[in-house]
Structures are given as structure tokens and as C-alpha cells.
Amino acid sequence: MRDMEECKIEFNELMKNRKSTRAFTDKKVSIDDLKEIIKLAQMSPSWVNSQPVRVDIATGNTLEIIRKEHGEINQNPNLHTKSDISFVSAKDWDIDSQNNMKIKGELDIENVGEKVKELKSEQGNKLFNAPAVVYLTLPDGYNEWSLYDTGSFAETIILAAKEKGIDSIPAFEFVKYADKLREHLNVNGRKFIIGIGLGYQDDSHPINQIYGNRMPLEDVLNIHE
Ligand SMILES: Cc1cc2nc3c(=O)[nH]c(=O)nc-3n(C[C@H](O)[C@H](O)[C@H](O)COP(=O)(O)O)c2cc1C
């Protein structure tokens, strides 16, 4: 039995070291690891244990077909995003969130340089070179509580992966063209909520110098005694 202190340190380290990866190496994620990660994510809480989330993972040839098509659509100026959850442009967020997004933009330039935008879209076109993409779906007509449950499921995937040394990124990029995904993944009667890329970070790629900061605790937390 490992003592609690040891687990605490490991968990804190895991949380501190997790970040979104935007360039993966070609190393594959094993099917056994993928299964174990999803089994752990199934332990996430959900409204009255409704367990509304379903998981489709694209890897190998299936993912290469999706990746190729994604790159083509992304670079076609006549085709637009067709996600199941609409894209919300920065100006339509609340002021605090807008401010955080602005800070992120400035930090990205500071960390990666002026070429960051170009690199981001290059990597987005390639689905970040992720060797596996996990798609989380909900049934048509889902309610807001199921969105909560999906977030919780997604975070457990990300942390369970990190515990195995597998890096990740949750991204809108993966679910931009939902109808195309429905064709390739044979998903009917369900909405694509989010995709999570899994793999091993390419430390030599400059895009991975992006680090997200966090607001000061006192701006986020109120304790009422
Ligand atoms: C719902 C959601 C959608 C996201 N979509 C994208 C995306 O399309 N492209 C991208 O580069 N990052 C995307 N991200 C990653 C965020 O930019 C990232 O989580 C945030 O900047 C904090 O950085 P960190 O994850 O490295 O801590 C997304 C994150 C979430 C939670």
C-alpha cells in the first residue's frame, strides 16, 4: 500500500505538469492504454448516474482519413465550421473571460513569438498530429446537466492519461465539422461535444512553449464563513 502523502505529492505534480499539447510525436498510444483511460473516466460522477457520455476513438487509418479531410476543409475559404455546439467569438463572452483570452494571446506571443498564430493554424490543420482522438458525444436533445457530466468525464480522461505519461489537448478543433465525423465514425442521433487529442508531446516543437497562466486565487474564490 502506498501511503497517502506519496499519492498527494504525485497528484499535485500531475496537476502542475499537465498542459495542453499542440504538437505530438508520431509515437502511438496503445489500445490497452486507451481502454484503461476510458474505464477510469467512467468513474466520473454524473446526474443520477445517468452516464450520458459515449466515447468514439479515432486512431490509425480512420484518423488519417479524418485528419486529411480536416486539413482540406480548414484551408478552404468557402467552407465554414459546422460544429454541434456553436463557435462563440471572443466578443460574445463576458468581460472577464475576454480579458483572460486577451492575456493568453499576449502570453502566447511572448512565449512562442509573432509566428504563433501561423503555427497554431498549421498544427490545427494537422489535428496537432495527435495519434489518437477521443470524441465525446451526448444524445440529441441532451440537457445542460449532461454537459456538466461531459466536462467531468473529459477531465478524468486528461488526468488518467497524464498519469500514464500520455499528453493531451481538449479542443474545439477536433469537432469543428461534426457532420463529417458522423460519416466516418458512424455516430447517429448524437452530438459531438468535444474531442481530446492523446499522444506524446514533441518537446522540440515551438508551439509547445505555450503555457496557460491562471487568475489569482482571490479573483476566483470567495469563502463565506
Ligand atoms: C472546451 C475547450 C476547447 C478548446 N479548444 C481548443 C482549440 O480548438 N485549439 C487549441 O489550441 N486549444 C484549445 N483548447 C485548449 C485551451 O486553449 C487550454 O486549455 C487553455 O489555454 C489553458 O491551457 P492549458 O490547458 O495548457 O493549461 C480548448 C480547451 C477547452 C477546455
Side-chain angles (χ1 to χ4, degrees):
M1 269 278 278
R2 285 193 311 185
D3 70 36
M4 279 312 284
E5 270 316 302
E6 204 180 317
C7 289
K8 249 190 230 170
I9 293 164
E10 280 185 16
F11 182 74
N12 290 355
E13 286 307 303
L14 189 147
M15 286 304 291
K16 280 186 207 153
N17 288 324
R18 187 220 55 89
K19 66 182 277 297
S20 293
T21 288
R22 293 179 176 82
F24 293 89
T25 66
D26 292 337
K27 185 177 171 186
K28 293 190 170 24
V29 180
S30 79
I31 299 291
D32 281 350
D33 278 346
L34 292 173
K35 284 184 180 168
E36 279 174 30
I37 289 166
I38 303 307
K39 200 158 175 57
L40 282 168
Q42 282 189 278
M43 301 310 290
S44 311
S46 65
W47 179 281
V48 199
N49 208 19
S50 49
Q51 305 175 70
V53 179
R54 296 293 175 272
V55 185
D56 286 85
I57 300 181
T59 185
N61 277 345
T62 303
L63 183 55
E64 289 327 308
I65 292 166
I66 292 173
R67 197 188 319 274
K68 185 168 177 284
E69 189 177 73
H70 182 87
E72 284 165 7
I73 305 173
N74 251 7
Q75 289 169 91
N76 183 338
N78 301 318
L79 294 175
H80 299 290
T81 297
K82 257 193 103 196
S83 53
D84 287 337
I85 298 186
S86 314
F87 178 80
V88 181
S89 64
K91 66 175 180 25
D92 295 323
W93 290 72
D94 65 281
I95 283 295
D96 287 350
S97 299
Q98 282 189 34
N99 192 41
N100 285 334
M101 290 189 237
K102 188 168 162 274
I103 292 170
K104 175 176 163 28
E106 289 161 1
L107 258 180
D108 287 356
I109 293 175
E110 217 175 289
N111 287 327
V112 184
E114 291 292 340
K115 62 183 186 301
V116 68
K117 257 195 158 164
E118 199 184 314
L119 288 178
K120 260 195 208 165
S121 68
E122 222 175 85
Q123 289 308 105
N125 291 343
K126 291 196 260 181
L127 299 176
F128 313 106
N129 200 39
V133 180
V134 179
Y135 299 93
L136 302 185
T137 66
L138 287 176
D140 288 345
Y142 67 82
N143 66 57
E144 284 167 315
W145 292 109
S146 295
L147 280 180
Y148 173 91
D149 298 343
T150 310
S152 171
F153 199 105
E155 179 68 354
T156 312
I157 289 177
I158 287 166
L159 297 181
K162 188 71 193 167
E163 204 268 335
K164 290 179 177 296
I166 296 168
D167 299 302
S168 63
I169 181 167
F172 169 73
E173 186 74 47
F174 295 120
V175 291
K176 265 176 161 176
Y177 310 112
D179 285 343
K180 295 286 175 193
L181 292 177
R182 257 184 282 280
E183 280 172 26
H184 294 300
L185 302 174
N186 198 21
V187 169
N188 295 306
R190 303 189 66 82
K191 300 290 188 228
F192 283 89
I193 308 301
I194 195 72
I196 303 169
L198 295 179
Y200 299 88
Q201 180 161 294
D202 177 356
D203 289 324
S204 69
H205 199 295
I207 195 82
N208 286 328
Q209 292 306 315
I210 289 180
Y211 289 94
N213 72 333
R214 292 300 186 263
M215 295 166 73
L217 181 67
E218 55 275 21
D219 291 354
V220 174
L221 171 68
N222 294 301
I223 296 180
H224 306 269
E225 284 185 299

